[in-house]
Amino acid sequence: MLRLLPILLFFVSTAFAQTFTSTIRGSVRDSDTGLPLTGATVSLSPTQAGAITDAQGTFRFGNLSVGRYQLTVSYLGYTTVLISELLLESGKENVQQIRLLPSGKQLHEATVTATRPVSVNSIQEITIEQTFRYAATYMDPARVATSFPGVAAANDQANGLVIRGNSPNSMQWRLEGVEIVNPNHLSNAGTFSDRPTSTGGGVNILSTQLLGTSQFLSGAFPAQYGNVNGGILDMHLRNGNDEQTEFTAQASLLGLDFAAEGPFSKKSKAFYLVNYRYSFTALLGAMGASFGGEDMRFQDLSFNLNFPNAKGGRFTVFGTGGISSNTFEPDKDTAAWEYEKDGQNILYKNRMFASGITFEQPLANKLSVRAALVGSALATSRVAYAVNSQSFGRDELLGDQKLINGKVSLNTTFTYRYNPRSRFEWGLFVTLNKYETDVWSVNTNLNSLAVQPFVKWSFQVTPGISGEVGLHAMLSKVERTEKLSALPEPRAAVKWQLSETDQLSASYGLHSQMQTAGLYTTHIYDTDYYNNRNLSPTRSQQIVLGYQKSFPKNSSLKIEAYWQHLFDVPVGQGLRDNYSVVNLIEEIPYEFLKNNGTARNYGVEASFQKLLTSDYYLLVSGSLYDATYVDLFGQRHKARFNGRHTFSFTGGKEFKSGNESLWGVNAKVLWLGGFRDKPIDVEYSKVLKTTLYEAQSHYSVKMKDYFRPDLRIYWKKSKAKFNRTLAIDLQNVSGTKNEAYRYFDKRKDDVVTQYQLGLIPVLSYRWEF
């Protein structure tokens, strides 16, 4: 036995010393044409390894130890790109798609990108790695955005975003560059009326397993973006592994998640990526998390199929679809019925899908074309019953509402690079909108059309000064109206590089956005004369001034000042309600509106970011802002979302434990100014047993400041053929009760304050192989 001991110790020590490896590979292409760049130099740190791209523009670093890396890519006549925060794990290749820009002196940025930046100012990229690492994101890119300056969540239960004081309805969702319907499960989450919103929901239907790098823009927008005033979240799908099959499985208190990717066959150049997710809140309820007695469930399926061609182009087919439900049943103990909702049975259902195709093709050495066609639809239903306190059977039908919102969007864009200093881009967006509902104050089906041509010229005046000018046009028509809205929208931006580390920038844009479908279809007094179908789009002028300074060790400081003037804002024409659309979230107003109002948002934002190097990262951001609106009578008031300030701290540190394990501790703290509400007429509400606001009231009631700390701790462990991650997310770890809204409760016979979510613990186990 003693003779075997040295042999046993040898094998044990060898096992503990084992180094697990994987591969970093990818391709380098021209940013405009998509043609491969042969002979590009790719270096990898901290290993100092180097590679040269082949005839297809591809590179490969094999047998790398798992861990964190940085890629530097350079090519004669093109700018050098640095890509940080690359995490290599065993059992999973890291595949990068890199596009280089024509050369020119530019700032050595800390927040570098593998693709051409789509905007000079007010843009942030959201990566897969961030959604996995940041605390309490639930793998949702919209929740990552709350770490950015000037961004606040409208409610803990939902991912609707308040951007620079604008309503969440001013935001636009895009998929593969074109506009889609609200892509979220449970689009009524966190709302006062329990009706669906146009932009928010409980969680994104597209799992992060399928997403690549997304762009988040907060204005002023370049010429290729239209029909938006507040912000844009443009989601892009990642390609998947084109050489070998890989799988991912995850189980958590939210449910189950499965993904697979790889080539269709060993001989095929085509490859796929598919993901299925099933989630529920029953396990969270068993852990003590409270969702107000509601049972929430959702499931979704997403896929992305890629078909490269021999001429450097590609054709993709993609889709996503999800169903979700939210059921509330009363407690069997009627003595526990405290609020009006406690005696009701409510069933909410949400169905969403989006599917489309894209085509990219170089047409020459300087010209390329990209086209995308996407169809999307969102169908919701809500049924509410009063429950008999004796038999617990359903009594009176309190409400039955259905809604269908659909879009078909087409985009074709041409890109021509005249020379390294001059680049032209032009194209056309066409979006057909369809809306159906049986809400009693609407009960109208309506179609609308938006046609948006654009042209943009990007140029370089000197090695340190570059800019772009463009023109966007918004042509829109609502069904059963003779009015055609034709709005030209000039855009311009300039960037001045003072030195290798300092940059000044300025942007201007004239923008417009069509009204939400519920506004167009509202009927007043059951007559056809008092309707809102003739409303014009809301317009805005935006100016942004920016300064950026880069520091060593992948860190940077950004400061932006912005001014936004909104006009042609629909405001109420009634004598009782002081109504403006800039305060809208989910309501379908029973109000006759005209484009007589204005609004104004201005502020200053700052953020300091250090990317994940030396085992830690940091993002500290904040803003001071003011959001006001002018009513029918010309009086200026504080807007609903005028919280006055935002602050967020997001950071974390990783700890290595041998060659196998990596620990991460991540924190996120949000401190936001409280939003505003109207004063409730208590006496009148008691008479009519419903929430009624004081006559001609404005948003004079300020809710308390919002405070929420989140925590995420993960443990990654590598093996020869797979890696595992055990993590726990604690949203609102302090259990702070943040105010959501106020309403008159019939059972309480008084005004009640509704609070947001408390502590939400989510334990998860992830396996990649």
Side-chain angles (χ1 to χ4, degrees), residues 446-449 476-483 514 520 533-535:
L446 203 68
N447 297 329
S448 63
L449 178 67
S476 60
K477 178 79 164 57
V478 177
E479 185 184 21
R480 296 197 297 277
T481 63
E482 297 180 358
K483 184 176 182 180
M514 297 181 69
Y520 285 125
R533 287 197 299 269
N534 287 302
L535 287 174

Side-chain angles (χ1 to χ4, degrees), residues 119 265 272 274 302 309 384 486 526 535 674 687:
S119 179
S265 67
Y272 67 90
V274 62
S302 305
N309 62 39
D526 294 328
L535 287 174
V687 173

Side-chain angles (χ1 to χ4, degrees), residues 24 30 81 153 254 272 331 335 531 536 636 658 737 745 750 762:
I24 294 178
D30 183 284
V81 165
L254 285 176
Y272 67 90
D331 196 310
N531 66 70
S536 300
R636 184 173 296 276
K737 289 188 175 182
D745 189 89
D750 202 355
V762 177

Side-chain angles (χ1 to χ4, degrees), residues 450-734:
V451 179
Q452 303 171 74
F454 77 92
V455 60
K456 185 174 72 172
W457 174 37
S458 302
F459 54 89
Q460 191 173 38
V461 181
T462 69
I465 300 177
S466 60
E468 61 182 40
V469 294
L471 181 64
H472 183 278
M474 180 71 172
L475 311 174
S476 60
K477 178 79 164 57
V478 177
E479 185 184 21
R480 296 197 297 277
T481 63
E482 297 180 358
K483 184 176 182 180
L484 173 64
S485 179
L487 305 173
E489 301 174 359
R491 316 282 174 85
V494 62
K495 181 170 63 175
W496 180 19
Q497 306 214 188
L498 304 173
S499 68
E500 288 295 323
T501 60
D502 295 85
Q503 171 187 288
L504 293 176
S505 58
S507 301
Y508 167 80
L510 178 60
H511 309 281
S512 62
Q513 184 173 14
M514 297 181 69
Q515 311 303 330
T516 58
L519 289 182
Y520 285 125
T521 56
T522 301
H523 280 248
I524 312 301
Y525 310 126
D526 294 328
T527 69
D528 194 57
Y529 176 76
Y530 292 102
N531 66 70
N532 296 322
R533 287 197 299 269
N534 287 302
L535 287 174
S536 300
T538 297
R539 310 189 72 189
S540 70
Q541 294 195 65
Q542 300 188 35
I543 297 175
V544 180
L545 303 177
Y547 169 74
Q548 177 175 332
K549 184 174 183 60
S550 294
F551 300 99
K553 298 182 179 180
N554 292 285
S555 58
S556 65
L557 172 69
K558 290 184 180 180
I559 300 174
E560 288 191 344
Y562 66 90
W563 176 84
Q564 180 184 27
H565 172 67
L566 294 101
F567 58 101
D568 289 346
V569 177
V571 292
Q573 303 300 298
L575 296 179
R576 176 174 176 81
D577 292 328
N578 191 342
Y579 195 90
S580 174
V581 167
V582 299
N583 303 308
L584 182 69
I585 299 183
E586 80 278 4
E587 306 100 319
I588 298 177
Y590 191 60
E591 184 74 34
F592 180 45
L593 306 171
K594 285 190 176 180
N595 295 98
N596 294 337
T598 64
R600 184 179 65 204
N601 304 320
Y602 64 90
V604 59
E605 301 171 348
S607 64
F608 176 82
Q609 182 173 25
K610 180 193 175 300
L611 299 180
L612 205 169
T613 56
S614 302
D615 300 325
Y616 76 97
Y617 70 95
L618 187 68
L619 174 58
V620 181
S621 67
S623 70
L624 298 174
Y625 71 98
D626 188 61
T628 59
Y629 71 98
V630 175
D631 64 13
L632 173 67
F633 305 105
Q635 297 179 337
R636 184 173 296 276
H637 307 285
K638 298 293 184 183
R640 181 177 191 171
F641 305 103
N642 190 4
R644 301 287 293 169
H645 69 83
T646 69
F647 172 82
S648 70
F649 169 90
T650 305
K653 182 169 178 58
E654 292 184 335
F655 305 88
K656 296 179 181 178
S657 177
N659 296 323
E660 295 184 358
S661 298
L662 181 69
W663 291 83
V665 179
N666 307 268
K668 181 177 179 180
V669 179
L670 298 177
W671 174 41
L672 314 171
F675 295 148
R676 310 180 74 88
D677 203 355
K678 288 185 175 183
I680 295 175
D681 189 328
V682 180
E683 297 304 319
Y684 202 17
S685 297
K686 287 183 177 181
V687 173
L688 297 183
K689 303 300 180 184
T690 189
T691 303
L692 293 170
Y693 298 102
E694 293 181 2
Q696 284 304 313
S697 60
H698 52 90
Y699 289 86
S700 59
V701 178
K702 188 176 185 302
M703 291 183 280
K704 294 179 181 179
D705 280 9
Y706 175 100
F707 178 78
R708 194 189 84 195
D710 303 327
L711 181 67
R712 175 177 172 82
I713 301 174
Y714 58 77
W715 173 41
K716 295 178 176 290
K717 189 173 181 64
S718 297
K719 292 296 182 183
K721 299 295 184 180
F722 62 90
N723 70 83
R724 299 173 294 181
T725 302
L726 178 65
I728 183 165
D729 275 284
L730 300 173
Q731 176 177 299
N732 197 355
V733 66
S734 65

